[in-house]
Amino acid sequence: MSTDLLERGKNIKLAIFDVDGVLTDGRLYFLEDGSEFKTFNTLDGQGIKMLMAAGVQTAIISGRKTPVVERRAKNLGIPHLYQGREDKLVVLDELLAQLDLSYEQVAYLGDDLPDLPVIRRVGLGMAVASAASFVREHAHGITLARGGEGAAREFCELILRAQGRLDAANAAYL
């Protein structure tokens, strides 16, 4: 893990996640009745819970809108959920004003072009291993894991490690 990423992670107060391709593998599943389902990784969910327990706020910004994501955010206790919002930078600015935070205090994990303006603006902008190549080129770092396969957990642990809180977060379960 690079010292630059750890340095960027030290002052993070808000971690933001995209959904499709980040918290999921990016595939969309539609049933005959038109309903949709997604699969989420429990390791990612635990990582998000660990972040929140350490005092880091969390948010989801997704260009798509689905009840499945609302349910997942509620189950994890993620307080800031924005769905159906294509211009993620506008949402970021709204959220920063609401929480009285600066760009440098934000970490973002994304995978595709709509995520790129936020990735480039925040203090720690990362891409998942399965992200579009152009996004990977412009991110501060890239997870080893693919979206939906533990990438969010890796991102959460990086922030916790940077803040010297990973051992305490793990020890809470001993």
Side-chain angles (χ1 to χ4, degrees):
M1 179 163 313
S2 87
T3 55
D4 178 58
L5 292 180
L6 291 172
E7 192 62 36
R8 288 178 175 278
K10 281 183 179 177
N11 297 314
I12 299 302
K13 304 280 186 231
L14 171 65
I16 305 174
F17 303 85
D18 177 39
V19 177
D20 295 319
V22 173
L23 296 179
T24 74
D25 64 9
R27 291 185 275 183
L28 302 175
Y29 299 92
F30 296 99
L31 301 177
E32 285 186 30
D33 65 3
S35 62
E36 177 180 347
F37 73 91
K38 299 176 184 290
T39 59
F40 297 93
N41 188 305
T42 58
L43 292 174
D44 292 341
Q46 184 61 41
I48 291 169
K49 287 180 179 182
M50 290 164 60
L51 262 187
M52 291 187 297
V56 177
Q57 297 194 59
T58 57
I60 288 175
I61 304 175
S62 178
R64 300 188 72 245
K65 184 174 172 83
T66 172
V68 175
V69 172
E70 186 173 343
R71 187 174 315 125
R72 181 66 171 156
K74 184 177 180 182
N75 287 345
L76 292 176
I78 296 172
H80 307 286
L81 173 62
Y82 299 87
Q83 292 194 85
R85 302 288 298 270
E86 290 292 330
D87 191 338
K88 296 181 178 191
L89 201 52
V90 169
V91 177
L92 174 64
D93 287 338
E94 291 171 10
L95 195 50
L96 291 182
Q98 177 187 341
L99 299 175
D100 194 28
L101 295 174
S102 67
Y103 292 123
E104 294 76 29
Q105 294 173 301
V106 178
Y108 186 89
L109 184 61
D111 74 315
D112 210 347
L113 294 176
D115 302 311
L116 193 54
V118 177
I119 287 172
R120 294 186 56 162
R121 182 74 52 96
V122 299
L124 176 61
M126 292 190 61
V128 297
S130 50
S133 61
F134 190 71
V135 176
R136 291 193 316 266
E137 288 173 25
H138 291 279
H140 297 126
I142 304 165
T143 63
L144 296 175
R146 299 172 56 83
E149 298 177 6
R153 175 63 169 267
E154 187 179 329
F155 174 73
C156 293
E157 288 187 358
L158 182 151
I159 295 167
L160 291 168
R161 183 174 287 112
Q163 296 182 4
R165 299 177 178 184
L166 183 59
D167 290 339
N170 287 329
Y173 294 92
L174 293 178

